[in-house]
Amino acid sequence: MTKLLDPAAVTKAADRVAGNESTKEGRVHQTWFRGSKGSRPPKAMQMMPETAVLDYVLKGWEPPAPCINETTKVTAFGSCFAAYISDWLASRHYNVLTRNKESNAYVVSCGEGMVNTFVIRQQFEWAFEAKSFDAPLWHGYKSEEFGYDEEVRQETLRLFNETDVFILTLGLSEVWYDEPTGGVFWRTLPKDKYDPERHKFRVSTAQENADNLREIYRLIRKHRPDAKIILTLSPIPLIATFRDESCISANSVSKAVLRVAIDEVMREFKDEGHIFYWPSYEIVADIFNYPFKEDRRHLYKSVQDFIMMTFERVWCERAPTDHEYLRQWLRAKSAAGQLNERLDGALGARNLPKLRHMLNRNRISDFKVTDEAAKEMLLRYIEEEERIQAAEATAAE
């Protein structure tokens, strides 16, 4: 097997980043000033190893050390991607407060329906400082109206006051609002409540969303000064747009507005050490060829699990093993069409004979340039899996 990275190529790339270009005669001359920091996008071969996301996407976004364990109290809500995060952590026996079905807090019963920064801010303003709203803005999944019940507020306050880590997932920047009061709805609003003279639609600005995030940060720092805040942008695209243009174009703008707002706030407060960004959006958008199912909205489970396993590896004290992580990377690449589609099932079943058979095929990668590296990874997985299964068989005797 050839090496994934040729040392001479690595040196040459480092010279380019530093602004040093080698001539054909071997001399080095200065080109443009590149600064003391910076990085270039990885090439195809650099994106093959299972560490690619850790090496090329998470740069600058990791916490100083993993800080979530089984006793850490986590609250996750916002867009539908919050459900992925909550379900994964709960399945791994982490303490996710927003998975307590006995709680009547709206961030529990409708926590994946709070899809914009305005309504996330509303929950913190309502819970922490008892802010009142002048219009019925909140509705559940069945169009039922959620009022501003004091008992529910107190339960929400209890959850927030116990939380060690807030994970807030942002979904979209398109909003429906109540024109007389300016209040923003969770999503749109029920047909029987819609009043065209009163209820309006608009695309919120990056500045508005940044201001909402600043206020959320201020409220958490005021009331829960030791808590950590993880912001993430949902990679799930719009199901529909209310703009007179294509949904694909509208989705691009919607995500861009939120990503700019997050970056502005991160640049402002990151060095204080309490707010962090988790790049789910970039992992889905830039790492996998086709990570979505046929509906182009729901991620393949193997891709979804890889994102969360990466989160666990970075944020949680009890991280997956290197072998588990390699398997999930191979499964995700298979599900997303970058490796043979049958690899996903064979890896999930730990079917070594089938994996060996596939390894001997002419090609397991859709790209000739990466096939040798893909086979090298699969062989490494198979050899370690054979050792583990042999040990399991011996232990069972």
Side-chain angles (χ1 to χ4, degrees), residues 118-187:
F118 296 85
V119 301
I120 295 174
R121 174 177 173 172
Q122 288 168 7
Q123 289 299 302
F124 285 104
E125 290 176 325
W126 184 54
F128 280 141
E129 303 197 336
K131 180 175 179 178
S132 59
F133 303 94
D134 298 327
L137 301 173
W138 302 345
H139 298 86
Y141 295 121
K142 298 179 180 179
S143 302
E144 70 273 32
E145 186 175 307
F146 283 1
Y148 308 117
D149 186 283
E150 180 61 17
E151 182 180 336
V152 179
R153 187 187 80 81
Q154 288 293 335
E155 171 63 6
T156 308
L157 178 61
R158 182 190 68 79
L159 289 181
F160 286 176
N161 280 336
E162 291 183 4
T163 299
D164 300 307
V165 177
F166 291 94
I167 304 175
L168 307 177
T169 66
L170 315 185
L172 55 132
S173 56
E174 295 189 0
V175 299
W176 282 89
Y177 67 101
D178 181 63
E179 190 172 48
T181 65
V184 174
F185 296 97
W186 283 359
R187 297 173 296 278

Side-chain angles (χ1 to χ4, degrees), residues 108-373:
V108 174
S109 60
C110 207
E112 292 85 48
M114 301 177 183
V115 295
N116 61 66
T117 64
F118 296 85
V119 301
I120 295 174
R121 174 177 173 172
Q122 288 168 7
Q123 289 299 302
F124 285 104
E125 290 176 325
W126 184 54
F128 280 141
E129 303 197 336
K131 180 175 179 178
S132 59
F133 303 94
D134 298 327
L137 301 173
W138 302 345
H139 298 86
Y141 295 121
K142 298 179 180 179
S143 302
E144 70 273 32
E145 186 175 307
F146 283 1
Y148 308 117
D149 186 283
E150 180 61 17
E151 182 180 336
V152 179
R153 187 187 80 81
Q154 288 293 335
E155 171 63 6
T156 308
L157 178 61
R158 182 190 68 79
L159 289 181
F160 286 176
N161 280 336
E162 291 183 4
T163 299
D164 300 307
V165 177
F166 291 94
I167 304 175
L168 307 177
T169 66
L170 315 185
L172 55 132
S173 56
E174 295 189 0
V175 299
W176 282 89
Y177 67 101
D178 181 63
E179 190 172 48
T181 65
V184 174
F185 296 97
W186 283 359
R187 297 173 296 278
T188 180
L189 63 163
K191 283 185 178 180
D192 61 351
K193 303 290 184 182
Y194 173 64
D195 179 353
E197 299 300 318
R198 177 169 189 149
H199 303 137
K200 308 294 183 180
F201 166 82
R202 66 185 177 87
V203 179
S204 59
T205 67
Q207 189 60 51
E208 286 177 306
N209 285 281
D211 287 343
N212 288 337
L213 294 176
R214 287 189 186 95
E215 183 60 15
I216 291 167
Y217 180 74
R218 185 192 71 80
L219 288 166
I220 294 174
R221 295 288 294 123
K222 176 182 176 181
H223 296 276
R224 293 288 297 141
D226 295 328
K228 291 179 171 56
I229 306 156
I230 303 173
L231 301 177
T232 188
L233 175 59
S234 171
I236 308 303
L238 289 172
I239 192 171
T241 182
F242 294 94
R243 302 177 67 181
D244 187 20
E245 61 183 48
S246 76
C247 192
I248 289 176
S249 297
N251 179 71
S252 179
V253 171
S254 182
K255 299 300 185 184
V257 165
L258 294 174
R259 188 62 189 88
V260 168
I262 292 171
D263 199 66
E264 185 173 322
V265 170
M266 290 303 302
R267 282 184 280 119
E268 189 171 342
F269 298 115
K270 178 183 177 183
D271 289 345
E272 294 182 7
H274 298 281
I275 190 167
F276 302 86
Y277 175 63
W278 178 252
S280 299
Y281 180 78
E282 288 86 342
I283 295 173
V284 169
D286 291 317
I287 301 303
F288 297 107
N289 283 4
Y290 202 84
F292 293 101
K293 297 179 181 179
E294 290 184 5
D295 61 5
R296 299 189 73 244
R297 279 185 49 78
H298 292 90
L299 293 169
Y300 286 113
K301 189 176 186 305
S302 291
V303 174
Q304 174 186 314
D305 288 353
F306 172 77
I307 295 171
M308 289 313 306
M309 189 173 282
T310 306
F311 179 92
E312 191 174 6
R313 189 177 178 112
V314 171
W315 274 97
C316 300
E317 295 178 2
R318 179 174 49 81
T321 66
D322 290 345
H323 183 66
E324 291 172 326
Y325 193 67
L326 173 59
R327 179 175 70 169
Q328 198 57 48
W329 171 246
L330 291 168
R331 294 191 67 182
K333 297 273 275 189
S334 170
Q338 288 154 288
L339 297 178
N340 187 290
E341 63 182 6
R342 289 181 291 176
L343 270 174
D344 188 8
L347 287 160
R350 301 171 68 193
N351 188 332
L352 287 173
K354 187 172 183 179
L355 291 173
R356 279 283 184 188
H357 174 73
M358 296 181 71
L359 184 65
N360 293 325
R361 292 171 60 91
N362 290 335
R363 185 184 296 180
I364 63 169
S365 169
D366 283 347
F367 303 98
K368 184 177 181 180
V369 70
T370 60
D371 193 60
E372 189 174 358

